[in-house]
């Protein structure tokens, strides 16, 4: 059986996460039992939610256990199978974690899914046509309930979630406005992703200037907002919301290091009769097939053109992950393992 390199969570962060929180080890892959499948991972997904799992504080999911392989989505190829549903050569997506191989129970629902790479590249199943894409779809369709003529905004607009959000919003006839960091990302958002406008938060580093930029980009106010960041950006967006606007809260990356994120003007929730709802996309698996079908179609039609930032080799995962938390990636952050 092949040797398997893995990244473990060695210790918990005290404030900002660092390289020293992780540990690279090598282990032997165990022999397969009946019903099991051996997967060679081609790509590993890096996502902001992983930072919250590194903390021991209460959250929507159990903390990442110390001394165990970091959780994470993977795509790859079946290299050996003792399950009738899977055969060597099958392309699959799963939650194999930060390692080169995984042994998966083929009978466990939802752990491993075969995918078709005829029109959708394998790596896209970790981004546009995977969990991030479904996340964008759920927030936009189930919470924001976007309809033609709405103005909808998303923070982290050029990441994996924001990229899909733009295509989904434009398909529904919405005005789509993004918030991203730096002129290059903002140009990409408008010229390639299809946003109607994109605001550079580095040029608008406080509530007053961000609210002014939002007023210019959203002259008819904001009907729906998809939150990935929190902090002053949320405060500024709430100032520009219309009556009965909807806010889908997906992430609060500004607060992942443990500091609380106070809300400046919560009275706006009442004044504008806002609907604010947090969600975890894995709790809505019954809607994934519908979402994935639309996302796959948008990719095949060339209406969703995601960009990827790819680090090479399992040993590069910690540094790439820390860069993701600081916005150094452009589009979906992946680690290529082959």
């Amino acid at each position: 059986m092949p040797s398997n390199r893995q990244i473990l969570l060695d210790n918990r962060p005290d404030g900002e996460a660092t390289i020293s929180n992780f540990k690279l080890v090598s282990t032997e892959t165990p022999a397969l039992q009946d019903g099991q499948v051996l997967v060679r991972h081609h790509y590993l997904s890096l996502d902001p939610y992983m930072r919250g799992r590194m903390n021991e504080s209460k959250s929507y999911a159990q903390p990442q256990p110390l001394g165990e392989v970091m959780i994470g989505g993977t795509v790859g190829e079946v290299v050996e199978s003792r399950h009738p549903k899977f055969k060597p050569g099958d392309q699959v997506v799963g939650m194999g974690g930060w390692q080169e191989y995984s042994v998966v129970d083929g009978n466990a629902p939802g752990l491993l899914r075969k995918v078709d790479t005829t029109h959708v590249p394998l790596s896209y199943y970790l981004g546009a046509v995977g969990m991030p894409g479904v996340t964008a779809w759920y927030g936009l369709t189930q919470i924001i309930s976007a309809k033609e003529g709405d103005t909808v905004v998303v923070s982290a607009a050029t990441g994996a979630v924001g990229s899909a959000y733009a295509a989904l919003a434009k398909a529904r006839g919405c005005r789509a406005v993004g918030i991203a960091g730096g002129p290059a990302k903002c140009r990409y958002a408008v010229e390639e992703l299809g946003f109607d406008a994109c605001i550079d938060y580095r040029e608008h580093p406080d509530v007053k200037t961000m609210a002014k930029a939002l007023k210019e980009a959203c002259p008819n106010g904001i009907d729906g907002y998809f939150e990935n960041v929190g902090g002053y950006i949320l405060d500024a967006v709430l100032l520009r919301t219309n009556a009965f606007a909807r806010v889908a809260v997906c992430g609060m990356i500004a607060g992942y290091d443990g500091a609380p994120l106070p809300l400046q003007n919560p009275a706006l929730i009442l004044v504008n009769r806002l609907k604010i709802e947090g969600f975890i996309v894995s709790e809505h698996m019954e809607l994934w097939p519908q979402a994935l079908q639309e996302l796959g179609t948008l990719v095949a039609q060339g209406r969703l053109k995601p960009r990827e930032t790819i680090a090479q080799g399992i040993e590069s995962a910690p540094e790439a992950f820390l860069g993701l938390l600081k916005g150094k990636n452009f589009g979906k952050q992946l680690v290529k393992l082959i």
Side-chain angles (χ1 to χ4, degrees):
M1 300 296 284
S3 178
N4 182 24
R5 292 191 300 163
Q6 306 170 316
I7 300 286
L8 314 181
L9 180 62
D10 188 57
N11 55 83
R12 300 201 186 279
D14 181 13
E16 189 172 321
T18 67
I19 292 290
S20 64
N21 297 135
F22 304 96
K23 183 179 182 181
L24 175 64
V25 301
S26 185
T27 184
E28 295 301 313
T29 305
L32 294 188
Q33 306 295 317
D34 286 342
Q36 291 184 328
V37 180
L38 177 65
V39 179
R40 173 72 165 101
H41 301 152
H42 289 201
Y43 291 94
L44 162 67
S45 175
L46 299 179
D47 299 281
Y49 78 84
M50 297 171 178
R51 176 62 188 86
R53 297 287 294 272
M54 291 171 70
N55 296 335
E56 204 166 20
S57 56
K58 182 181 184 298
S59 186
Y60 59 82
Q62 289 296 314
Q64 162 74 40
L66 289 176
E68 294 189 14
V69 176
M70 279 288 292
I71 191 172
T74 50
V75 289
E77 181 179 348
V78 173
V79 292
E80 185 181 343
S81 176
R82 295 188 63 178
H83 192 285
K85 278 175 51 182
F86 299 95
K87 65 181 187 300
D90 284 346
Q91 305 283 290
V92 292
V93 59
M95 290 293 288
W98 294 24
Q99 55 183 341
E100 294 171 324
Y101 291 85
S102 62
V103 174
V104 184
D105 178 359
N107 292 313
L111 279 190
L112 202 62
R113 178 170 58 91
K114 286 191 277 190
V115 294
D116 183 359
T117 56
T118 306
H119 301 292
V120 178
L122 181 62
S123 60
Y124 282 21
Y125 286 103
L126 292 176
V129 194
M131 180 271 291
V134 178
T135 299
W137 184 93
Y138 186 90
L140 186 71
T141 67
Q142 304 301 300
I143 298 177
I144 294 172
S145 302
K147 61 185 184 300
E148 187 171 359
D150 279 352
T151 294
V152 295
V153 178
V154 62
S155 51
T158 59
V161 173
S163 301
Y165 186 89
L168 293 164
K170 296 310 296 179
R172 284 160 176 77
C174 298
R175 176 173 176 80
V177 175
I179 301 171
K185 287 185 177 181
C186 287
R187 277 196 306 273
Y188 165 67
V190 173
E191 295 173 5
E192 296 188 46
L193 293 179
F195 281 99
D196 294 285
C198 188
I199 299 167
D200 183 355
Y201 68 78
R202 294 177 184 169
E203 294 290 322
H204 306 90
D206 53 59
V207 173
K208 184 177 180 179
T209 57
M210 176 58 72
K212 182 180 178 183
L214 284 164
K215 185 176 183 179
E216 293 174 359
C218 309
N220 296 321
I222 296 170
D223 301 298
Y225 176 52
F226 192 106
E227 178 61 285
N228 289 309
V229 176
Y232 83 92
I233 292 178
L234 176 58
D235 287 318
V237 168
L238 293 186
L239 286 169
R240 303 305 315 153
T241 49
N242 291 327
F244 305 105
R246 291 82 63 196
V247 179
V249 182
C250 171
M252 290 279 183
I253 196 170
Y256 279 166
D257 289 337
L261 294 176
L263 197 60
Q264 279 195 7
N265 196 352
L268 290 168
I269 299 171
L270 172 61
V271 171
N272 288 335
R273 286 85 84 206
L274 303 181
K275 172 187 175 183
I276 301 179
E277 183 176 339
F279 73 100
I280 309 301
V281 74
S282 59
E283 295 177 347
H284 306 283
M285 297 302 294
E286 74 282 358
L287 294 174
W288 280 50
Q290 181 182 349
L292 290 170
Q293 181 177 9
E294 180 176 357
L295 291 159
T297 300
L298 288 171
V299 168
Q301 293 174 342
R303 297 165 68 190
L304 172 51
K305 302 174 182 177
R307 187 180 289 197
E308 299 172 328
T309 296
I310 300 177
Q312 185 67 49
I314 188 68
E315 66 280 355
S316 71
E319 186 173 352
F321 174 64
L322 298 178
L324 164 73
L325 296 177
K326 294 183 180 299
K328 293 182 179 179
N329 60 303
F330 209 133
K332 175 65 187 177
Q333 179 67 61
L334 299 167
V335 180
K336 196 169 189 290
L337 301 175
I338 57 169

